[in-house]
């Protein structure tokens, strides 16, 4: 029987595996590296801007949504590539849909930044 971890042990293991996943995505995907770099530059910029706290939160959240979506897109692509490296209509469609989610998150981030800063 498998015993599940509980309490602080579960949280520590979950954190370890989450950081492991982030590190793997960072190493294998240029888009993740670019988005992390953008986060490292733009988040400090939000503290230099004359915006309200709520606007600052929205600016940062819009950037984090892009990274979250990119990580999910990367997971879909890795899983699809594991299932088959052949060209397949449904696998192609799954990858395109995940990519579309990234595009929409980037559009949302752009819209948020333009709306607040204009």
């Amino acid at each position: 029987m498998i015993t599940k971890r509980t309490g602080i042990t579960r949280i520590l293991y979950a954190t370890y595996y989450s950081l492991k996943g982030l590190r793997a995505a960072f190493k294998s995907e240029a888009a993740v590296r670019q988005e992390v770099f953008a986060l490292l530059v733009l988040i400090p910029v939000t503290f230099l801007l004359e915006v309200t706290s709520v606007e600052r939160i929205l600016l940062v959240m819009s950037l984090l949504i892009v990274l979250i979506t990119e990580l999910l897109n990367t997971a879909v692509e890795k899983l699809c590539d594991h299932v088959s490296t052949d060209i397949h209509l449904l696998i192609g469609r799954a990858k395109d849909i995940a990519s579309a989610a990234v595009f929409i998150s980037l559009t949302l981030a752009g819209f948020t930044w333009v709306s607040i800063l204009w």
Side-chain angles (χ1 to χ4, degrees):
M1 182 170 151
I2 298 174
T3 56
K4 294 195 174 205
R5 293 180 177 90
T6 58
I8 192 74
T9 305
R10 185 192 66 76
I11 293 169
L12 291 173
Y13 273 89
T15 301
Y16 168 76
Y17 290 121
S18 296
L19 293 174
K20 184 178 173 183
L22 188 57
R23 187 171 30 256
F26 187 84
K27 286 182 178 180
S28 69
E29 295 294 320
V32 172
R33 289 190 297 274
Q34 292 164 354
E35 289 159 4
V36 168
F37 177 74
L39 280 169
L40 293 174
V41 170
L42 293 174
I43 288 176
V45 166
T46 65
F47 291 95
L48 302 174
L49 299 171
E50 291 186 25
V51 295
T52 67
S53 294
V54 171
E55 290 171 331
R56 182 172 296 109
I57 290 167
L58 290 170
L59 292 171
V60 172
M61 282 179 58
S62 70
L63 298 173
L64 291 173
I65 287 170
V66 172
L67 181 60
I68 291 166
T69 311
E70 186 63 55
L71 290 169
L72 293 171
N73 177 51
T74 298
V76 168
E77 287 183 356
K78 298 294 184 193
L79 183 58
C80 287
D81 291 345
H82 175 74
V83 169
S84 176
T85 56
D86 295 337
I87 295 174
H88 189 278
L89 177 66
L90 292 178
I91 288 176
R93 191 170 296 158
K95 287 181 169 187
D96 291 346
I97 291 168
S99 178
V102 174
F103 175 76
I104 290 171
S105 71
L106 285 165
T107 303
L108 172 66
F111 175 77
T112 302
W113 279 72
V114 168
S115 296
I116 291 172
L117 298 179
W118 190 322

